Amino acid sequence: TEFDVRGLSALPRVDIVYCYAGADGTAVQAFRAAGAAGLVSAGFAPGFVTPALMETMSAAMAEGLPIAAST
């Protein structure tokens, strides 16, 4: 299947961005600078993040970075 990883020597870097009261986009920017190929957003239920974090994540998605939302 497309999820068969036996032939891979490495997996892409995917970091987790945690949301908390007052979270801004600093973590997103740092993960991107470190070479993240994708992010997982660990937001407030049901997946909400702060406005500042959403602004940074939206800009990253507009540039092609995949972000999966979770709670």
Side-chain angles (χ1 to χ4, degrees), residues 22-61:
D24 59 16
T26 302
V28 173
Q29 294 167 344
F31 291 142
R32 292 184 75 198
L39 297 175
V40 174
S41 168
F44 303 119
F48 294 141
V49 296
T50 63
L53 185 53
M54 177 56 80
E55 183 178 326
T56 306
M57 290 186 347
S58 294
M61 289 186 291

